[in-house]
Amino acid sequence: MENLAQHWQRLYLATLLLGLVVVCLGAWTRLADAGLGCPDWPGCYGQIGVPDSEAEALEAFPDAPLEPAKALLEMVHRYAAGLLGLGILGLFVLARLGDNARSKRIAAVLLILVVIQAGLGALTVTMRLFPPIVLAHLLLGFITIALLWSLRPAPHWNLRTGLFKTHLAFAWLFLVVQIVLGGWMSANYAALACPDFPTCQGEWWPAMELSEALNMPLLSDTSYLGGRMDGEGRTAIHMAHRINAILVLGVLLSFFLRLQRAPGAGIASMTGICLLGGQLLLGIILVLIGIPLLLAVFHNLIALLLVINLTHISMIVWRRPDVTYNPNSLAQNYR
């Protein structure tokens, strides 16, 4: 059992780290417009790697000229996602060999999610970046990392009051809405709809069309690369993202300040405050300097770290009364 726990810890940490890398690679691929760098799936122009020449690629897909850098980025993302799937499969096998019922359940759910995620990855390509699929792919990636984190042991804080649980629920609600809005904005290429701050297009309330922003696009055989939504629809998405950011700031900041009262919760509280402040500042900078790729990827990463932080806190606040904590083993975290 001791060897099993050691194998679990090593594989778990490697899988968690790889998961963070995969989410960042996915954001990089999306933001670099490389989501269709390979027009087929799971291969690239019918090969297991990037074709050696453009002529070779055009022979397989005459209507999809090869862009080597984008194709390479797409394939690196796919192979990293494949390794993540193998890591989760390994966690599932080790969990089945152990006696931790909770770890078995979470590992089983993770295995199901990674299969669904692979299917969404295929649909992202075959449906030519259809925005709802792109958004679902992003959200499922965040959920996967949150579940991976929930396999960790968590210390006990005395925060099991109804008021604190309600505040945490609202923190989750506004954060999830913000991530959905951010994903929808990215999938519809609306990040540059407002090139100035704090105004948008030089106005406090620019012309926008909310019904267009919420309208589900129709399926077609042509690519959604670059987006199809009109300008007022994109402006509406961008403004909704900004307005909800103010609500997120208020709800999460008050939550993290309340969290500071709990003995031992100072690190989680300060981590949340720093992530929240950094995300707000980075969002403003991205607008002002035109969405540079590296900073945009980092913006995605901070959102994921906020999700991880709230997941960690939720494990404590919503812990069942019969839960015990073992600080020495990831595999034996719940009995």
Side-chain angles (χ1 to χ4, degrees), residues 5 40 50 63 75 100-101 131 133 141 150 157 171 188 193 196 199 202 223 242 269 289-290 329:
D40 51 335
V50 179
D63 298 327
M75 289 308 292
N100 189 324
I133 296 297
S150 68
W157 304 332
N188 286 281
D196 49 326
T199 56
S223 172
R242 285 192 185 186
S269 172
I289 65 177
S329 172

Side-chain angles (χ1 to χ4, degrees), residues 37-321:
C38 296
D40 51 335
W41 190 95
C44 189
Y45 291 90
Q47 302 183 22
I48 61 172
V50 179
D52 294 327
S53 67
E54 185 170 352
E56 198 175 1
L58 289 175
E59 185 178 350
F61 288 86
D63 298 327
L66 174 66
E67 296 184 65
K70 292 184 177 180
L72 179 60
L73 178 56
E74 172 68 359
M75 289 308 292
V76 168
H77 176 228
R78 290 184 189 180
Y79 282 125
L83 288 175
L84 176 61
L86 291 176
I88 289 174
L89 176 61
L91 289 176
F92 173 77
V93 171
L94 290 179
R96 301 301 301 177
L97 294 175
D99 60 357
N100 189 324
R102 181 177 180 276
S103 294
K104 290 179 182 180
R105 289 195 299 270
I106 294 177
V109 173
L110 279 167
L111 190 60
I112 293 171
L113 288 182
V114 81
V115 173
I116 296 174
Q117 187 73 320
L120 287 174
L123 288 174
T124 299
V125 175
T126 58
M127 296 176 71
R128 315 288 288 173
L129 301 181
F130 185 52
I133 296 297
V134 173
L135 176 60
H137 195 47
L138 168 70
L139 295 178
L140 199 59
F142 274 47
I143 293 170
T144 300
I145 302 303
L147 278 177
L148 271 172
W149 186 267
S150 68
L151 285 169
R152 294 178 57 85
H156 177 73
W157 304 332
N158 186 23
L159 294 174
R160 301 176 62 81
T161 65
L163 182 60
F164 198 92
K165 291 180 180 179
T166 301
H167 202 161
L168 176 57
F170 274 102
W172 267 118
L173 173 63
F174 283 100
L175 180 61
V176 169
V177 168
Q178 187 68 353
I179 291 171
V180 170
L181 287 171
W184 192 242
M185 183 171 67
S186 177
N188 286 281
Y189 299 85
L192 292 174
C194 296
D196 49 326
F197 184 89
T199 56
C200 175
Q201 301 170 14
E203 301 179 22
W204 289 104
W205 197 256
M208 51 187 159
E209 184 57 58
L210 185 59
S211 61
E212 174 69 16
L214 300 177
N215 187 37
M216 192 67 67
L218 297 176
L219 276 173
S220 71
D221 295 332
T222 55
S223 172
Y224 292 86
L225 185 65
R228 298 189 187 174
M229 190 176 292
D230 66 24
E232 291 189 357
R234 298 188 194 197
T235 302
I237 298 174
H238 193 114
M239 287 297 293
H241 188 66
R242 285 192 185 186
I243 293 169
N244 194 68
I246 298 172
L247 299 176
V248 169
L249 178 63
V251 173
L252 266 70
L253 182 58
S254 61
F255 172 77
F256 289 132
L257 290 174
R258 171 174 283 173
L259 185 65
Q260 286 187 328
R261 305 178 199 170
I267 294 178
S269 172
M270 287 307 301
T271 297
I273 292 172
C274 290
L275 288 173
L276 192 61
Q279 187 73 325
L280 180 65
L281 180 62
L282 189 56
I284 294 172
I285 292 173
L286 283 170
V287 171
L288 295 179
I289 65 177
I291 322 292
L293 181 59
L294 185 60
L295 290 184
V297 172
F298 197 54
H299 195 57
N300 279 258
L301 177 60
I302 295 179
L304 178 58
L305 294 178
L306 277 168
V307 168
I308 289 174
N309 195 38
L310 280 191
T311 299
H312 180 73
I313 295 166
S314 299
M315 291 163 56
I316 300 158
V317 175
W318 290 325
R319 187 200 302 266
R320 297 192 315 270

